[in-house]
Amino acid sequence: MSIREIVLCACVLLGSAIMPAISQADDIVITNPPPPVRTEVAPPPREGYIWSPGYWRWENGEHVWVEGHWVEARLHSHWMPDRWEQQDSTHWHFMPGHWESE
């Protein structure tokens, strides 16, 4: 096995080990419930886009409001907006906005 092949294998193995940690870093679970969602008036429909309502982002140990925004529409999919889901009596899990196939 050449040095180049060894380095390539090492990079592939290292990348495989790092990816789960990166994915887990985005997994936010807190014990501080988010404040009530703010009332926003959605703008009129815009062709080719979906309105994603505002939500509370967890940043530096506190909730920060993120205003609603347009997301480019995708065929045969529906948008699941950013949201917090209560896991049990004390834990809240952040679910980032994403597309789901229909």
Side-chain angles (χ1 to χ4, degrees), residues 2 10 15 20-21 36 45-46 49-50 53 55 61 63 66 72-73 85 87 91 97:
S2 71
R46 183 175 167 191
Y49 290 87
I50 304 294
Y55 65 96
H63 294 283
V66 176
E72 192 170 355
E85 291 185 355
Q87 288 185 317
H91 292 91

Side-chain angles (χ1 to χ4, degrees), residues 10-23:
C11 288
V12 168
L13 290 173
L14 183 60
S16 299
I18 290 173
M19 285 311 290
I22 291 171
S23 297

Side-chain angles (χ1 to χ4, degrees), residues 41-52 69-71 73:
V41 177
R46 183 175 167 191
E47 188 174 336
Y49 290 87
I50 304 294
W51 178 254
S52 185
H69 59 279
W70 292 106
V71 178

Side-chain angles (χ1 to χ4, degrees), residues 9-78:
C9 287
C11 288
V12 168
L13 290 173
L14 183 60
S16 299
I18 290 173
M19 285 311 290
I22 291 171
S23 297
Q24 291 171 358
D26 292 339
D27 194 28
I28 302 171
V29 177
I30 59 173
T31 56
N32 221 9
V37 175
R38 291 185 179 175
T39 301
E40 287 185 321
V41 177
R46 183 175 167 191
E47 188 174 336
Y49 290 87
I50 304 294
W51 178 254
S52 185
Y55 65 96
W56 292 102
R57 177 178 64 221
W58 186 249
E59 185 176 302
N60 299 322
E62 65 181 16
H63 294 283
V64 177
W65 181 252
V66 176
E67 293 184 2
H69 59 279
W70 292 106
V71 178
E72 192 170 355
R74 292 186 184 177
L75 289 176
H76 311 295
S77 297
H78 65 275

Side-chain angles (χ1 to χ4, degrees), residues 2-12:
S2 71
I3 296 292
R4 183 173 184 224
E5 292 170 325
I6 292 170
V7 170
L8 180 60
C9 287
C11 288
V12 168

